[in-house]
């Protein structure tokens, strides 16, 4: 049953005022208008709501039930308004991200810390996925924002930021190739033991394609689906890997690893992308996070193209 809000207001004001005439005066309308709305309310409920006593108007048993309903409804309205205002002030809300594992260190190290310290009521949900999983999560609206490497286009994706992030040779600092100033060649890399993503990973497929075009076979010593294992493999001096520099930015800054350019056009064309779903209305917190990550993440400081964040 749909009870018009205005009739409930007339009912409550009449009870509070003690008479239809006084209620009409408070509402600044004719007494007949108040009586008409009360009669319509009683007709809809099939029961008398008010009874006149010497001391004034009192609710009937059904009127008591309706009054309790009005109070509960009013409390819900107030709670909703308070929640809405808190949401609009960015005191509450949830923003979900789906990201490639290579973005994690860059994302969490500083950008998210600063964002969450500023907006303490905003909850950030982060899930890891490969390129296909990121696209699926964004298209199905399971996540607001996706961070992915090595673009795979989709007509429902909006690319907010696309930054050039070439694939680099990641080496131990004492490796013989670490001192070479000019870009390394695929021939040089093919002679070194290498750890790489599993063959299903987009980056691995790009690496395999580059070596295939050069008619070379790399020394794949280890396959993994873990970014942590790739970095630790190189730190331990077991061999090299191929990653964008932002994926190991902390290790590079601390001198635990070294990144060197590779002379290959496929590696030079790779990019990092921040994506959302076309047509999805982003919550205010999500829009602010888009702006924040674009400004603070190293993955998006390559001077590439970017859309205007609303």
């Amino acid at each position: 049953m749909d009870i018009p809000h205005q009739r409930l207001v007339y009912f409550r004001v009449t009870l509070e005022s003690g008479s239809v005439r006084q209620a009409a005066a408070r509402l600044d309308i004719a007494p007949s208008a108040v009586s008409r709305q009360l009669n319509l309310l009683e007709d809809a409920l099939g029961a008398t709501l008010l009874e006149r006593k010497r001391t004034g108007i009192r609710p009937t048993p059904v009127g008591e039930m309706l009054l309790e309903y009005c109070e509960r409804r009013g409390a819900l309205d107030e709670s909703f308004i308070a929640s809405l205002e808190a949401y609009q002030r960015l005191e509450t809300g949830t923003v979900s991200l789906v990201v490639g594992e290579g973005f994690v260190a860059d994302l969490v190290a500083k950008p998210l810390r600063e964002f969450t310290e500023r907006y303490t009521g905003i909850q950030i949900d982060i899930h890891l996925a490969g390129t296909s999983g990121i696209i699926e999560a964004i298209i199905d609206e399971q996540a607001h924002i996706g961070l992915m490497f090595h673009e795979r286009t989709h007509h429902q994706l909006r690319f907010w930021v696309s930054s050039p992030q070439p694939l680099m040779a990641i080496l131990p600092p004492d490796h013989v190739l670490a001192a070479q100033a000019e870009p390394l060649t695929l021939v040089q890399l093919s002679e070194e033991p290498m750890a790489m993503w599993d063959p299903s990973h987009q980056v691995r497929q790009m690496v395999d394609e580059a070596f295939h075009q050069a008619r070379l076979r790399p020394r794949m010593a280890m396959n993994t689906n873990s970014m942590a294992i790739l970095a630790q493999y190189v730190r331990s001096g077991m061999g090299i890997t191929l990653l964008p520099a932002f994926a190991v930015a902390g290790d590079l800054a601390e001198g635990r690893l070294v990144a060197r350019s590779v002379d290959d056009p496929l590696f030079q064309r790779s990019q990092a992308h921040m994506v959302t779903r076309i047509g999805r209305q982003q919550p205010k917190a999500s829009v602010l996070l888009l702006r924040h990550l674009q400004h603070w993440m190293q993955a998006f400081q390559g001077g590439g193209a970017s859309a205007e964040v609303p």
Side-chain angles (χ1 to χ4, degrees):
M1 178 184 297
D2 183 18
I3 304 176
H5 177 70
Q6 194 64 31
R7 290 177 189 169
L8 295 177
V9 172
Y10 290 171
F11 172 71
R12 290 193 64 174
V13 172
T14 300
L15 277 176
E16 292 169 359
S17 302
S19 72
V20 169
R21 186 171 299 278
Q22 291 182 43
R26 282 181 57 182
L27 295 167
D28 196 24
I29 58 176
S32 59
V34 176
S35 296
R36 182 168 60 254
Q37 293 300 320
L38 293 176
N39 290 335
L40 289 172
L41 188 55
E42 290 180 331
D43 290 343
L45 297 177
T48 301
L49 300 175
L50 301 170
E51 54 186 4
R52 290 170 177 81
K53 302 287 186 179
R54 289 183 178 180
T55 55
I57 291 177
R58 292 289 182 269
T60 65
V62 175
E64 292 278 7
M65 295 167 56
L66 184 62
L67 181 60
E68 182 181 358
Y69 168 76
C70 291
E71 292 172 348
R72 290 183 177 181
R73 182 166 169 172
L76 284 173
D77 288 345
E78 291 176 2
S79 176
F80 170 73
I81 292 172
S83 297
L84 178 61
E85 290 176 346
Y87 177 81
Q88 292 173 336
R89 293 193 302 267
L90 296 178
E91 294 176 359
T92 61
T94 300
V95 182
S96 56
L97 294 89
V98 57
V99 306
E101 190 178 359
F103 289 90
V104 172
D106 184 18
L107 174 66
V108 177
K110 189 175 181 182
L112 278 190
R113 183 182 65 197
E114 293 182 346
F115 186 85
T116 55
E117 286 176 353
R118 181 174 181 182
Y119 303 107
T120 56
I122 301 299
Q123 176 179 312
I124 307 294
D125 292 347
I126 305 175
H127 296 279
L128 301 180
T131 302
S132 297
I134 293 170
I135 293 174
E136 181 179 351
I138 295 298
I139 298 308
D140 292 344
E141 298 191 0
Q142 298 170 12
H144 296 102
I145 301 170
L147 305 180
M148 65 183 193
F149 183 73
H150 187 46
E151 172 182 349
R152 211 181 81 193
T153 59
H154 191 287
H155 68 282
Q156 289 180 283
L157 286 184
R158 181 170 188 178
F159 287 78
W160 286 105
V161 188
S162 294
S163 175
Q165 292 292 344
L167 208 58
M168 309 282 282
I170 307 301
L171 316 165
D174 59 351
H175 195 283
V176 64
L177 296 179
Q180 183 170 313
E182 62 270 18
L184 304 178
T185 67
L186 291 184
V187 172
Q188 290 174 299
L189 297 184
S190 68
E191 297 170 351
E192 302 296 327
M194 183 181 301
M196 274 304 303
W197 296 106
D198 289 333
S200 61
H201 197 281
Q202 289 285 318
V203 173
R204 171 62 181 273
Q205 292 172 11
M206 179 170 61
V207 170
D208 287 346
E209 177 63 21
F211 278 100
H212 176 74
Q213 290 181 7
R215 298 183 179 180
L216 294 169
R217 175 175 292 183
R219 290 177 58 189
M220 289 297 177
M222 182 181 293
N223 294 318
T224 182
N225 65 350
S226 168
M227 174 70 212
I229 291 176
L230 290 176
Q232 186 58 41
Y233 175 86
V234 182
R235 287 191 213 104
S236 65
M238 296 174 66
I240 69 173
T241 190
L242 293 162
L243 294 169
F246 70 81
V248 288
D251 284 308
L252 297 178
E254 297 294 331
R256 292 185 293 268
L257 297 175
V258 173
R260 291 290 178 262
S261 297
V262 180
D263 185 15
D264 183 85
L266 277 180
F267 292 1
Q268 296 302 316
R269 288 202 300 268
S270 60
Q271 294 184 315
H273 305 281
M274 187 184 302
V275 300
T276 61
R277 188 186 190 281
I278 289 176
R280 182 178 189 182
Q281 183 66 41
Q282 295 289 326
K284 188 175 181 180
S286 178
V287 173
L288 284 177
L289 184 57
L290 279 166
R291 292 172 176 162
H292 185 81
L293 297 183
Q294 178 180 350
H295 181 73
W296 287 105
M297 285 187 68
Q298 294 189 39
F300 302 110
Q301 303 307 307
S306 62
E308 181 179 354
V309 181

